Amino acid sequence: MTEAQFWEKAINDVKRLIDCIAGHEYEKLHTIAAINPLWHGEGKTQEECMAEFTEWLDGQLAMWTEDYETEFVVDPFEIQHFDLLHFEGSCASAVYLPQSHGEPLDFWFELYFSIDENETITVEFDINV
């Protein structure tokens, strides 16, 4: 797989991930990516971790909405907010800077990609606050 082919597939996965978050389709997240194990305590499943993440995210957006008296959301994917950091052989990393109504939010997604021998891409993400 060339680097260009990799990024075409990776961008599609990140688009699906961000669009699921934006659309509150949280039940689909685990089919697209795994959440970094450091996000949660030991012994929790990915589904439990995703539930904790989405609870945190919804709570954070609701708190900002109340504090600033304007709705905070996660906008659907836009390529200009995606940035490649590193690509080497079978692994890569990138960041996605989520927006709310076109304005940057106070956190970003760190994305880690790995490619197996069948050219299947695995995505893991973390949230940097």
Side-chain angles (χ1 to χ4, degrees):
M1 173 180 313
T2 67
E3 185 172 347
Q5 291 169 322
F6 165 77
W7 283 115
E8 183 179 333
K9 290 180 180 183
I11 288 169
N12 184 53
D13 285 346
V14 174
K15 179 183 183 334
R16 288 177 41 229
L17 176 70
I18 300 302
D19 288 349
C20 279
I21 293 169
H24 298 273
E25 297 175 323
Y26 299 146
E27 69 282 356
K28 295 180 183 179
L29 292 177
H30 74 279
T31 67
I32 302 166
I35 193 164
N36 186 317
L38 297 177
W39 176 257
H40 55 85
E42 289 184 37
K44 293 186 180 174
T45 67
Q46 275 293 307
E47 288 179 347
E48 291 169 325
C49 296
M50 288 292 188
E52 287 182 14
F53 159 69
T54 57
E55 183 179 324
W56 170 84
L57 179 61
D58 285 345
Q60 189 66 50
L61 296 172
M63 181 182 70
W64 288 336
T65 296
E66 184 177 321
D67 289 351
Y68 296 100
E69 298 179 354
T70 188
E71 181 187 35
F72 279 78
V73 298
V74 174
D75 292 345
F77 179 83
E78 292 186 33
I79 190 69
Q80 67 266 28
H81 304 300
F82 180 77
D83 189 25
L84 164 66
L85 298 177
H86 174 79
F87 178 83
E88 186 176 318
S90 64
C91 62
S93 60
V95 295
Y96 186 80
L97 307 171
Q99 309 286 301
S100 177
H101 303 289
E103 296 295 324
L105 290 167
D106 287 341
F107 63 89
W108 61 92
F109 296 105
E110 296 174 350
L111 303 144
Y112 306 96
F113 305 91
S114 59
I115 308 165
D116 69 15
E117 61 278 351
N118 297 321
E119 297 189 345
T120 301
I121 298 173
T122 302
V123 183
E124 181 179 277
F125 73 99
D126 200 353
I127 301 88
N128 196 317
V129 181

